[in-house]
Amino acid sequence: MSKSWPPGSLAHFAQLFLRLDQSQGVRERQQALLGFLNHDRLADKDAAWALWLLAGERLKRTVAPSLFRKAMEEATGLQPWLVEECYQSVGDLAETSALLAACPQTESDFAAKGLADLIEYDLLALRGLQAQEVCNWMMAAWGQLTAPQVFCLNKILTGGLRLGLSRQGLVQALADHLKIAKALVAQRMLIFLSQPPGPEAYQALVSPDDSCGAQAFMNGPVPFFLAQSLSMQGEPLEQAAQCEQRLGPIESWAAEWKWDGIRAQLVVDAAGQLQVWSRGEELVTEQFPEFAQLFVGPHALQALPLRLDGEILAWDGLKQRPFAFANLQRRLGRRKPSKAMQNAHPVVFMAYDLLGLAGRDWRAEPFSARRAALVALLESLGEGDRETQPKSPAASRPMRASPIVAAENWAELALLQAQARGQPAEGLMLKRWDAAYGQGRTKESTQGELWKWKLAPLTIDAVLVYAQRGHGRRAGLYTDYGFALWDDRQDPAVLVPFAKAYSGLTDAEIKKVDQVIRKTIEDKFGPVRQVSPSLVMELGFEAVMESSRHKSGIAVRFPRILRLRPDKTIEQADRLSSLRAMLS
């Protein structure tokens, strides 16, 4: 029987953490969470931090991995190489230190400290300490905690609380408990996570009163409607037949290009204050000051409050089309970019959908009505038709409606989809004209409501040259790989690294590859192993771009392993010139 710790203490949270980790199903995890939150003596401030952490949020890095290793070495007296071997065997830094450095005692004042006080007064204060002071603090903490408590503390420090209860699972548990709509709880959760955790934010999240739903709609982000993948096989005409059979008449569907940018919500309150939220629920308003132009001056949008769903794209004003994603990357993470940066790498907000207008929630309306209202809104600014935009390098008014891709039948649309890279786009989005704006990947009919019909990936056969062990259940196996192509700019050609990939193989295939790697290791660079070239794999990726950071001079987007190629020798792997030819 576990000890009864003060509600909301580190030890109490560690008990929840352990139960969530050991539970077999989502429902059991949801019940464990509600049991924790419903404790009659649980302080709101501790509950707020617990939910914030379990929702997948993380503290900004307070302790670097190198300091974890240093603290383990000093706490245990082990040599660095032995600590590293333990880590490679366990596969998780937080668990390794819990196993090596935890004290077996079961009671301490430190474990009884409230979760909010621990984070706000201890963990956040670590950022202002010297490296040795941080090590000393961790060793002192570890010495007062059991292994499960050390594991939980370390996970908070490293931001690794992944317990099989997704954010949607949290939302569902709260909705069931509060007996209010899941959509409202999901909306509240996004608002809750957009601010520092605290008692007021927690009470707004768990209030059983749903009367404030309409007012809350125009404050902060709402859940994005996400597409399901439409998997099609064969040539365009074969895919067209599959669409006809699976989705019905083409007249029921709207098609738009699937742009390669950053999905975002553009939210404006009644006072004209702008917020831009990424799909990752980060506030990125300052990174894109161009959008603020839409809400100032004599030609500003007046129908406020307003909420739009769309995509942020790097924009070629001369050709009136998006640049490749690599151009957008130069803008990402830059707070308050200079005018020179804005002019060199202009962006637009490609509006997909109208979610709210003049304080009214439009999400339950059919897409046909939402689309008509969106076009009317943007046409009032002269932004509805992208062909009427001035041909200038920078977008003068950085917002436009995503164009509808018109086709008389599925065969015609399939041929257009096959040419998507010329836009450039990743394929098509298919939206039912009569569908409401859903939440997450909702699927309320057998046909679904929102599909992404992506192009088949670009492919290339590459040679495995580097490997690194995985983490979690794959700890101890080499699962992360580095690949190379033959550089035919040299005579004789040599292998040059160009990409890393870790997904795509089955567990059985990973074990086979692991056995080959262990037999062919040539050199070590920290956790990375250089192997003798012997394996060829087919990689898939979405795009190719120039890159000065890579020795090959080229980078690929979203690389993943499609299959092993035991039928090919390393000499038959592809050349760098083949990859470079895909740049066009």
Side-chain angles (χ1 to χ4, degrees):
M1 187 72 178
S2 61
K3 175 182 171 62
S4 178
W5 290 96
S9 63
L10 170 62
H12 186 214
F13 184 66
Q15 288 176 343
L16 171 65
F17 181 81
L18 189 62
R19 185 176 173 189
L20 291 173
D21 192 37
Q22 295 175 345
S23 296
Q24 297 300 311
V26 172
R27 198 66 189 165
E28 187 177 342
R29 295 187 183 99
Q30 290 175 343
Q31 292 303 316
L33 170 67
L34 292 178
F36 176 89
L37 295 176
N38 288 337
H39 198 292
D40 57 3
R41 291 188 292 115
L42 177 66
D44 287 349
K45 63 179 182 178
D46 296 323
W49 275 107
L51 271 181
W52 190 84
L53 292 167
L54 293 174
E57 298 299 306
R58 58 178 65 194
L59 302 175
K60 290 184 180 179
R61 177 175 287 180
T62 53
V63 182
S66 58
L67 281 185
F68 263 99
R69 290 178 170 84
K70 178 177 172 61
M72 280 191 283
E73 293 164 13
E74 294 187 14
T76 61
L78 298 176
Q79 293 295 317
W81 69 267
L82 186 52
V83 170
E84 182 63 28
E85 285 299 316
C86 291
Y87 166 58
Q88 292 296 333
S89 178
V90 174
D92 184 279
L93 198 58
E95 186 176 1
T96 303
S97 56
L99 294 172
L100 291 179
C103 179
Q105 70 184 65
T106 58
E107 298 184 23
S108 77
D109 292 339
F110 189 87
K113 182 174 292 192
L115 190 60
D117 289 343
L118 171 69
I119 294 174
E120 294 172 9
Y121 297 112
D122 288 333
L123 303 191
L124 297 181
L126 294 178
R127 299 175 190 164
L129 301 181
Q130 299 296 320
Q132 188 58 53
E133 292 177 306
V134 175
C135 286
N136 292 343
W137 184 91
M138 285 195 294
M139 288 188 289
W142 292 343
Q144 301 176 69
L145 303 175
T146 63
Q149 293 164 3
V150 170
F151 185 44
C152 181
L153 173 65
N154 291 347
K155 284 295 186 181
I156 294 173
L157 285 168
T158 60
L161 287 166
R162 300 180 184 90
L163 297 168
L165 186 61
S166 66
R167 188 171 297 178
Q168 288 300 315
L170 291 177
V171 167
Q172 187 65 64
L174 290 173
D176 292 346
H177 175 64
L178 298 171
K179 295 182 173 54
I180 61 177
K182 180 181 176 182
L184 178 58
V185 179
Q187 176 185 328
R188 289 182 182 181
M189 179 66 77
L190 290 179
I191 297 172
F192 170 75
L193 296 174
S194 69
Q195 56 192 308
E200 295 81 6
Y202 177 72
Q203 279 301 319
L205 174 65
V206 300
S207 171
D209 181 15
D210 64 354
S211 62
C212 63
Q215 180 180 0
F217 170 70
M218 296 314 299
N219 296 306
V222 298
F224 285 87
F225 190 16
L226 304 178
Q228 303 168 76
S229 295
L230 188 65
S231 180
M232 296 293 181
Q233 306 296 325
E235 296 298 317
L237 293 182
E238 295 174 290
Q239 295 189 37
Q242 296 169 44
C243 286
E244 182 79 42
Q245 181 179 13
R246 186 167 182 177
L247 302 180
I250 194 172
E251 292 78 13
S252 299
W253 296 88
E256 298 177 42
W257 295 117
K258 186 183 184 308
W259 304 109
D260 187 13
I262 298 174
R263 184 84 176 273
Q265 283 181 33
L266 189 150
V267 184
V268 190
D269 64 20
Q273 295 297 311
L274 170 68
Q275 291 183 337
V276 182
W277 294 89
S278 73
R279 182 183 155 186
E281 294 154 23
E282 293 183 40
L283 194 60
V284 296
T285 315
E286 289 186 337
Q287 296 183 38
F288 304 104
E290 295 95 326
F291 303 146
Q293 300 173 18
L294 297 164
F295 308 100
V296 296
H299 302 292
L301 278 169
Q302 300 298 321
L304 305 177
L306 174 69
R307 180 189 303 280
L308 300 176
D309 179 12
E311 195 94 1
I312 299 174
L313 300 170
W315 192 255
D316 185 340
L318 292 175
K319 296 182 179 179
Q320 289 297 292
R321 53 179 278 173
F323 283 117
F325 185 81
N327 294 74
L328 183 59
Q329 282 183 307
R330 297 169 185 170
R331 288 288 302 271
L332 301 185
R334 293 179 179 269
R335 299 291 181 183
K336 299 181 179 178
S338 65
K339 281 291 184 183
M341 174 62 69
Q342 294 177 48
N343 291 333
H345 305 289
V347 296
V348 300
F349 185 85
M350 186 69 75
Y352 292 151
D353 216 329
L354 177 78
L355 309 188
L357 181 63
R360 175 187 167 192
D361 186 348
W362 279 71
R363 289 177 294 174
E365 299 294 328
F367 175 65
S368 57
R370 302 196 311 271
R371 171 75 189 188
L374 172 66
V375 171
L377 174 71
L378 297 185
E379 282 182 345
S380 69
L381 299 170
E383 301 294 335
D385 183 358
R386 67 174 181 166
E387 296 302 325
T388 66
Q389 302 305 310
K391 303 295 190 288
S392 60
S396 59
R397 300 271 301 176
M399 182 189 291
R400 58 206 65 213
S402 182
I404 297 296
V405 181
E408 295 292 327
N409 49 54
W410 286 112
E412 184 179 337
L413 189 63
L415 292 172
L416 290 170
Q417 188 267 356
Q419 302 166 24
R421 285 196 176 92
Q423 292 305 312
E426 297 178 329
L428 290 174
M429 300 297 298
L430 301 179
K431 305 177 180 181
R432 285 188 63 90
W433 282 111
D434 60 356
Y437 188 90
Q439 175 185 312
R441 288 188 172 85
T442 54
K443 187 176 182 182
E444 298 180 359
S445 70
T446 55
Q447 291 182 327
E449 296 177 309
L450 181 62
W451 297 98
K452 52 184 178 183
W453 184 8
K454 296 182 68 173
L455 292 168
L458 299 168
T459 65
I460 206 155
D461 293 324
V463 181
L464 176 68
V465 292
Y466 294 109
Q468 188 171 344
R469 288 173 177 169
H471 303 282
R473 70 182 185 89
R474 290 181 171 180
L477 293 171
Y478 288 100
T479 61
D480 299 7
Y481 312 124
F483 294 92
L485 298 173
W486 291 105
D487 186 353
D488 43 9
R489 296 172 299 183
Q490 304 185 43
D491 188 19
V494 296
L495 288 170
V496 57
F498 79 103
K500 297 178 181 178
Y502 56 86
S503 63
L505 297 182
T506 65
D507 288 345
E509 289 172 331
I510 287 173
K511 290 178 180 179
K512 289 176 60 176
V513 172
D514 179 79
Q515 293 173 358
V516 174
I517 289 171
R518 292 177 185 277
K519 294 176 182 178
T520 56
I521 292 175
E522 292 183 336
D523 207 348
K524 300 180 180 180
F525 307 96
V528 178
R529 303 293 182 263
Q530 181 178 341
V531 299
S532 175
S534 62
L535 292 175
V536 178
M537 300 187 197
E538 183 180 12
L539 302 186
F541 45 92
E542 301 304 323
V544 188
M545 60 203 82
E546 298 274 6
S547 174
S548 59
R549 296 187 297 110
H550 292 74
K551 187 176 180 180
S552 63
I554 293 181
V556 296
R557 184 154 162 76
F558 295 143
R560 66 269 194 194
I561 303 165
L562 299 181
R563 57 174 172 155
L564 299 173
R565 296 302 307 265
D567 56 315
K568 285 199 170 187
T569 65
I570 62 169
E571 290 77 18
Q572 294 173 314
D574 279 308
R575 270 48 185 166
L576 197 58
S577 58
S578 300
L579 186 63
R580 185 166 290 279
M582 299 179 190
L583 279 169
S584 59

